[in-house]
Amino acid sequence: MATSEQDKGNSRDFWMQAAITYSYIILWIFLSAVVIMVNKYVLTFAEFPFPIALTLTHMAFCSTLAFLIIKAGFVETVHMDSTTYLRNVVPIAALFSGTLWLGNAAYLYLSVAFIQMLKATMPVTVFLVGVLLGTEKYSALYALNMVVVAVGVAAASYGELNFDLVGVIFQSGSIVTESFRLCLIQLLLQARGIKLNPVTTLYYIAPACFVFLCIPFSFIELPKMMHSEGGWHLPSGWLMLSAVSAFALNMSVFLLIGRSSALTMNIAGVIKDWLLIALSVTLYGSPVGGLQLGGYGIAFLGVCWYNYQKLQGARQQTTARQPGDMESKPLLQATTPRR
C-alpha cells in the first residue's frame, strides 16, 4: 500500500515537472515569435526604418535590467578582470552586434517567412566556420547534409516571390557573424571555463554591443533621423514592447537551462520556425509559393538529420566518459537558442 502511494506521488511529481518544462518551452516559442513579429512591424509598418536604433534600444534596456538584477543579488555574477573581458568577451560582443544589426536590417527587405527559411543555412555556416577555426572536424557525411540543406534553401530562394538581393545579403551577413560568434564562444569562453548564464551574458555583452552599435548608428542612421522631415516617427510603445519581449526571451532561456535537452530545444526551434512562417502569411500577407515550401522542406529534413547525427555523436561521447549514467540527466544542457 505504501509502495502504491509512493508510485502515485512519483507519477504526480513527474507530470508536474514535465508540465513546468513544456510550459517554459511554450513560453520561449511565444516570446521568440513576439520579438520577431514586433520587430518586423516596427521596421516595416510603423514608419521607423532604423534597425540599428531598434537594436540599440534592446541593448540599453537589457543592459540596465541585467545590471539591476545582478546588483540586487537575484543572480550571482561571474567576476573577470579587464584583460579577460577585452580578450574573451569584447570580440563576441562585436560579432553579436553585427548579428543583431544585420538580422534586423533584413526585415526591411524580406518577409519573416523567407528569413526563417534562409536561417536553415545556419548549420551549414556553423559547420564551415567550425572546420575553419578548429571547433568542428570535417566529416563527409556532415558535408553531404550541408549540400542537401544548401540545395533546399536555394530552391526556396528561387521560389521566393518577393526576392530582394540586398535583404539576402543582410541576412547572410547576420548568419555568418552569428556562426563566428558561436564558434568563438567555444574557443574564448567554454574552453577557458568561463560560464555565463543569460543574465550575466547580458550584463557583460549588452553594454559592449551598445558601444559597438553606436558607431554605425552615428554615421548611417542618425544623419537620416536628423535631416528627415516627416519621414518617420518614434513608435515608443512598440519599441518598449520589443525591448521587454527581447529581455523576457533571454529570461525564458534562463528558466529552460537544466530542464530540457538539446533534442527538445531543437524540436522546439523547428516548431517555432514553422509557426513564424504561418504567422508571416497570416498577419502580414507574405506570399509563399509551392516551390518555396518544397525547398524549405528539403532544407528542413537536412537540418533534422544533421541535428540527429550531432546528438548521436554527443551521446556516444557522453557514454564513453560516463558509462551507465546516460539516463540520469539531459543529453546536453540547453544553450541560448536562436531567435
Side-chain angles (χ1 to χ4, degrees), residues 307-319:
N307 286 333
Y308 174 76
Q309 288 178 305
K310 295 290 288 184
L311 289 167
Q312 288 297 102
R315 184 186 295 272
Q316 292 171 3
Q317 291 177 6
T318 306
T319 303

Side-chain angles (χ1 to χ4, degrees), residues 2 13 31 35 52 55-56 62 68 74 88 109 119 121 142 158 166 176 178 196 201 203 214 234 260 266 271 305:
D13 184 63
L31 290 172
V35 170
I52 306 176
T55 311
L56 279 172
C62 290
L68 293 175
F74 293 112
N88 295 23
Y109 304 93
K119 285 180 180 179
T121 60
Y142 286 170
Y158 184 79
V166 175
V176 170
E178 177 68 359
L196 301 178
T201 297
Y203 178 74
C214 282
L234 187 68
S260 62
N266 280 322
I271 295 172
W305 180 244

Side-chain angles (χ1 to χ4, degrees), residues 21-307:
T21 298
Y22 285 100
S23 295
Y24 290 162
I25 291 173
I26 292 171
L27 177 65
W28 171 70
I29 293 174
F30 171 76
L31 290 172
S32 297
V34 168
V35 170
I36 289 173
M37 299 304 287
V38 169
N39 286 354
K40 173 65 175 177
Y41 180 82
V42 168
L43 293 169
T44 307
F45 302 103
E47 298 180 7
F48 190 77
F50 304 111
I52 306 176
L54 172 64
T55 311
L56 279 172
T57 62
H58 287 185
M59 294 300 100
F61 185 82
C62 290
S63 298
T64 302
L65 279 190
F67 176 83
L68 293 175
I69 289 173
I70 286 177
K71 294 306 178 183
F74 293 112
V75 175
E76 185 176 354
T77 187
V78 176
H79 299 284
M80 64 176 72
D81 56 45
S82 58
T83 302
T84 302
Y85 182 77
L86 290 174
R87 289 180 178 178
N88 295 23
V89 175
V90 170
I92 293 172
L95 289 168
F96 193 42
S97 302
T99 297
L100 296 175
W101 165 24
L102 298 173
N104 282 331
Y107 291 117
L108 292 170
Y109 304 93
L110 304 175
S111 69
V112 171
F114 186 42
I115 287 174
Q116 294 309 121
M117 295 178 188
L118 290 176
K119 285 180 180 179
T121 60
M122 179 66 76
V124 179
T125 315
V126 171
F127 175 71
L128 294 175
V129 172
V131 171
L132 177 67
L133 299 182
T135 59
E136 292 277 355
K137 292 183 179 179
Y138 177 80
S139 164
L141 193 56
Y142 286 170
L144 180 60
N145 277 154
M146 302 302 99
V147 171
V148 172
V149 173
V151 168
V153 173
S157 301
Y158 184 79
E160 168 63 18
L161 301 177
N162 293 325
F163 183 88
D164 189 295
L165 182 59
V166 175
V168 172
I169 291 173
F170 275 127
Q171 185 57 44
S172 299
S174 176
I175 290 171
V176 170
T177 53
E178 177 68 359
S179 299
F180 273 98
R181 184 184 77 90
L182 293 173
C183 291
L184 284 186
I185 285 175
Q186 289 182 266
L187 292 172
L188 299 181
L189 296 184
Q190 294 176 359
R192 289 166 171 76
I194 302 173
K195 297 180 180 180
L196 301 178
N197 61 45
V199 180
T200 51
T201 297
L202 292 175
Y203 178 74
Y204 283 114
I205 290 181
C209 286
F210 184 89
V211 173
F212 279 120
L213 288 166
C214 282
I215 299 172
F217 174 74
S218 300
F219 291 99
I220 298 175
E221 293 186 354
L222 184 59
K224 294 180 181 179
M225 288 179 164
M226 295 179 65
H227 296 96
S228 177
E229 297 181 0
W232 66 278
H233 78 279
L234 187 68
S236 54
W238 287 107
L239 288 175
M240 180 57 68
L241 175 61
S242 180
V244 170
S245 300
F247 185 82
L249 176 62
N250 282 280
M251 294 306 98
S252 70
V253 175
F254 182 70
L255 294 174
L256 276 173
I257 290 177
R259 297 196 67 97
S260 62
S261 67
L263 177 60
T264 304
M265 292 304 301
N266 280 322
I267 293 173
V270 168
I271 295 172
K272 183 204 71 174
D273 289 343
W274 284 104
L275 174 64
L276 284 167
I277 291 172
L279 287 174
S280 178
V281 173
T282 303
L283 298 180
Y284 297 142
S286 304
V288 176
L291 177 60
Q292 197 174 9
L293 285 175
Y296 181 63
I298 294 172
F300 162 74
L301 292 175
V303 171
C304 288
W305 180 244
Y306 174 76
N307 286 333

